[in-house]
Amino acid sequence: MSGGGCGSGGMGMRNIREFNEALQRKEVLFLTTLLGSVLEVDNSKMGQAFGCIQVDQSTIAIRETFGKFDDVLEPGCHCLPWCLGSQVAGYLSLRVQQLDVRCETKTKDNVFVTVVASIQYRALADKASDAFYKLSNTREQIQAYVFDVIRASVPKLDLDSTFEQKNDIAKAVEDELEKAMSAYGYEIVQTLIVDIEPDVHVKRAMNEINAAARMRVAANEKAEAEKILQIKRAEGDAESKYLAGLGIARQRQAIVDGLRDSVLAFAENVPGTTSKDVMDMVLVTQYFDTMKEIGASSKTNSVFIPHGPGAVKDITSQIRDGLLQGSRTQ
């Protein structure tokens, strides 16, 4: 019995020790979890917990006392006695921000376009309370004004004028935003119309029209160039024929002058001969020279020329008549 009692007592002591160890483990786990939660707390919250906060550069903080606006905190370190009801309601950045707005509208010539506007704005430090409290969603407010101005301006212009006057559209948007947003503590730094996107089919049609116009201009220029070439070719041909005619006329004149001088010289040197005899002899000599050249030429085809004393006489008569007519014409 005593042994059983001792065993039961030993078993009880071991259970108590294990219970204490388990309790210690739970305490360590609880402390670890609590420390992690504390470490995960935001720096600003921790700063408020200790009564001071830090405001970064280009940022301002809105301080409230018991839920009412109290002051605007500039960048730096500030004491915030939370026990007196002071707290930070939020932060407001003074950096220039950009909002890209895509607005679909219709031009005067019934072409749907998507206008992309970039609005650069920032909050004013001297109107920080208005910028923080008066607008619940600044970006949506600006977007609504942009939609209103673009959809009122673009339908007055056709597609080409929309591209040409995009600076005027940007100026109209900027003026409207400046007038509206200044009451809410915001300044519009710059407004840009960065893109105007017509429908895909409209862009394809515009490119085809441009290509057709350029092809028409190219065809006109090509036809004009061909016309100039033909005119110059015709002028060259006419000039060539004119010069060839002058050459032939001078050649014939030289032949006539040479024959005349030959006949006169032969008649003077050979007594008893007449001009007709000398002319017949010269023409027969020319006739045989011609026959010789025709026979010596390797590129000459078959040529049928009447030959014989009668034929030579006929050729002589024809040449003489031609020369006499040429002399009378000159």
Side-chain angles (χ1 to χ4, degrees), residues 195-242:
D195 196 8
I196 299 176
E197 302 175 357
D199 184 74
V200 177
H201 301 288
V202 176
K203 289 196 292 185
R204 185 181 299 113
M206 292 174 64
N207 292 333
E208 291 177 356
I209 292 172
N210 191 10
R214 293 182 181 274
M215 290 178 64
R216 184 170 62 252
V217 173
N220 291 334
E221 294 295 333
K222 183 178 180 181
E224 189 67 23
E226 185 66 24
K227 174 184 175 182
I228 294 173
L229 288 175
Q230 291 180 359
I231 292 174
K232 293 300 181 182
R233 193 180 295 115
E235 290 177 353
D237 188 34
E239 186 68 20
S240 175
K241 290 180 179 179
Y242 173 74

Side-chain angles (χ1 to χ4, degrees), residues 261-293:
D261 294 341
S262 299
V263 170
L264 294 175
F266 191 82
E268 291 177 355
N269 295 326
V270 181
T273 59
T274 62
S275 298
K276 180 178 181 302
D277 297 333
V278 177
M279 191 66 183
D280 291 339
M281 186 181 64
V282 172
L283 292 177
V284 170
T285 303
Q286 293 292 330
Y287 173 77
F288 283 109
D289 290 341
T290 302
M291 294 292 292
K292 181 181 178 180
E293 291 180 2

Side-chain angles (χ1 to χ4, degrees), residues 106-136:
K106 185 180 72 170
T107 61
K108 187 177 180 180
D109 48 353
N110 296 324
V111 177
F112 281 90
V113 295
T114 299
V115 180
V116 182
S118 292
I119 313 300
Q120 298 176 357
Y121 65 97
R122 65 181 177 184
L124 298 175
D126 54 347
K127 296 183 178 180
S129 60
D130 294 336
F132 187 81
Y133 288 104
K134 288 188 175 182
L135 290 179
S136 60

Side-chain angles (χ1 to χ4, degrees), residues 4-244:
C6 290
S8 300
M11 182 65 68
M13 292 296 294
R14 186 166 59 253
N15 291 338
I16 293 173
R17 187 165 56 252
E18 291 177 354
F19 176 77
N20 290 332
E21 291 176 354
L23 183 61
Q24 290 177 1
R25 286 197 298 271
K26 290 183 178 179
E27 289 177 354
V28 171
L29 179 61
F30 173 75
L31 291 176
T32 303
T33 304
L34 179 60
L35 180 60
S37 301
V38 172
L39 292 176
E40 291 176 358
V41 175
D42 190 12
N43 292 332
S44 61
K45 299 297 183 182
M46 293 181 64
Q48 293 184 26
F50 290 101
C52 63
I53 63 168
Q54 174 183 320
V55 180
D56 297 333
Q57 185 65 33
S58 299
T59 306
I60 55 176
I62 304 300
R63 185 175 69 181
E64 293 180 348
T65 301
F66 293 110
K68 182 181 179 180
F69 171 73
D70 185 12
D71 194 9
V72 175
L73 303 181
E74 301 290 338
C77 183
H78 300 273
C79 293
L80 198 70
W82 57 270
C83 56
L84 299 180
S86 297
Q87 64 176 354
V88 174
Y91 295 87
L92 189 64
S93 176
L94 299 180
R95 295 186 177 94
V96 176
Q97 305 179 57
Q98 178 167 312
L99 172 63
D100 293 331
V101 181
R102 299 178 62 88
C103 177
E104 184 179 9
T105 183
K106 185 180 72 170
T107 61
K108 187 177 180 180
D109 48 353
N110 296 324
V111 177
F112 281 90
V113 295
T114 299
V115 180
V116 182
S118 292
I119 313 300
Q120 298 176 357
Y121 65 97
R122 65 181 177 184
L124 298 175
D126 54 347
K127 296 183 178 180
S129 60
D130 294 336
F132 187 81
Y133 288 104
K134 288 188 175 182
L135 290 179
S136 60
N137 195 323
T138 306
R139 301 175 71 86
E140 288 187 1
Q141 185 81 7
I142 294 176
Q143 183 173 339
Y145 280 106
V146 173
F147 281 169
D148 180 67
V149 176
I150 290 179
R151 288 175 177 169
S153 301
V154 174
K156 300 177 182 178
L157 306 172
D158 55 20
L159 184 59
D160 293 336
S161 300
T162 302
F163 281 97
E164 295 172 358
Q165 302 181 23
K166 69 183 188 67
N167 292 333
D168 297 336
I169 299 174
K171 187 66 170 59
V173 174
E174 182 176 354
D175 293 342
E176 185 66 21
L177 285 176
E178 184 69 28
K179 181 174 61 177
M181 300 304 295
S182 60
Y184 300 106
Y186 282 92
E187 176 190 9
I188 304 301
V189 178
Q190 187 71 31
T191 301
L192 304 172
I193 302 297
V194 297
D195 196 8
I196 299 176
E197 302 175 357
D199 184 74
V200 177
H201 301 288
V202 176
K203 289 196 292 185
R204 185 181 299 113
M206 292 174 64
N207 292 333
E208 291 177 356
I209 292 172
N210 191 10
R214 293 182 181 274
M215 290 178 64
R216 184 170 62 252
V217 173
N220 291 334
E221 294 295 333
K222 183 178 180 181
E224 189 67 23
E226 185 66 24
K227 174 184 175 182
I228 294 173
L229 288 175
Q230 291 180 359
I231 292 174
K232 293 300 181 182
R233 193 180 295 115
E235 290 177 353
D237 188 34
E239 186 68 20
S240 175
K241 290 180 179 179
Y242 173 74
L243 295 176

